[in-house]
Amino acid sequence: MSLPSSHVNEASVMRLAEIGFEAPSTLLARYGLALERIEPGTPIPGSFWGDEEAGIIGTTVYARDDTPVHSLLHEAGHLIVLPPDRREAVHTDATDSIDEEDATCYLQIVLADELPGVGRERLMADMDAWGYTFRLGSAQAWFGEDAANARQWLVEHHLLSPDGHPVFR
């Protein structure tokens, strides 16, 4: 799996403006994280990719109305997979660990089901449209056929139940 190389169909992806900030804020709070809304046109603090992509600094995820939902969940996922004592040191780039990156991608898909109007199917389609790349060609194929290591990592770190549901801290 690798992260976006291009934004092929970026206009088609779901943005935070479509779902609002309340449900994502509530979801992130379940992990001890905050979501801070950034004014339109203002650079997003802690954004690795820039533009409208979400950013992370410490235990806060930063996003604008035009931030893609998949980006918000991905950056939040980076913080969630880190032990709480490592979160405060994060600024923009959370990890170089392949295991943590894979776990983050898996978790963002699972967490999409926790947001009304989103769901994993939509999120995976948006990941593909945005340009995430996977060995099997799509987020759905990776999630269903090639992500056992990511799922197991999340279970071992008590972030996913054995039956595949998120575990909230």
Side-chain angles (χ1 to χ4, degrees):
M1 190 287 310
S2 66
L3 291 180
S5 57
S6 67
H7 306 288
V8 179
N9 296 307
E10 67 181 59
S12 68
V13 302
M14 183 178 283
R15 309 292 175 143
L16 281 170
E18 296 176 57
I19 66 167
F21 278 69
E22 185 176 337
S25 292
T26 300
L27 176 61
L28 270 56
R30 295 178 80 180
Y31 290 101
L33 305 176
L35 174 58
E36 186 170 323
R37 187 179 202 161
I38 303 301
E39 291 299 315
T42 303
I44 298 175
S47 178
F48 183 84
W49 298 101
D51 298 323
E52 66 269 25
E53 296 264 12
I56 50 175
I57 300 174
T59 58
T60 302
V61 180
Y62 298 87
R64 297 189 309 227
D65 288 347
D66 63 341
T67 297
V69 173
H70 70 80
S71 177
L72 169 80
L73 290 175
H74 187 84
E75 296 308 318
H78 273 301
L79 294 176
I80 293 166
V81 303
L82 288 177
D85 63 329
R86 286 182 48 204
R87 293 178 182 171
E88 285 297 330
V90 171
H91 192 300
T92 307
D93 191 9
T95 187
D96 291 326
S97 163
I98 292 171
D99 289 340
E100 287 178 359
E101 187 65 51
D102 288 349
T104 294
C105 286
Y106 195 97
L107 186 60
Q108 83 184 93
I109 292 167
V110 171
L111 290 179
D113 288 340
E114 301 297 315
L115 295 176
V118 182
R120 66 182 61 189
E121 298 302 321
R122 173 61 192 259
L123 194 85
M124 287 187 282
D126 284 357
M127 291 168 73
D128 292 340
W130 197 255
Y132 286 68
T133 56
F134 297 91
R135 275 192 300 256
L136 298 182
S138 72
Q140 186 168 7
W142 174 78
F143 186 80
E145 302 170 35
D146 194 34
N149 61 325
R151 180 185 170 100
Q152 185 59 38
W153 191 98
L154 290 165
V155 170
E156 289 172 1
H157 287 83
H158 310 287
L159 295 169
L160 195 69
S161 67
D163 63 350
H165 293 92
V167 174
F168 300 104
R169 294 184 178 173

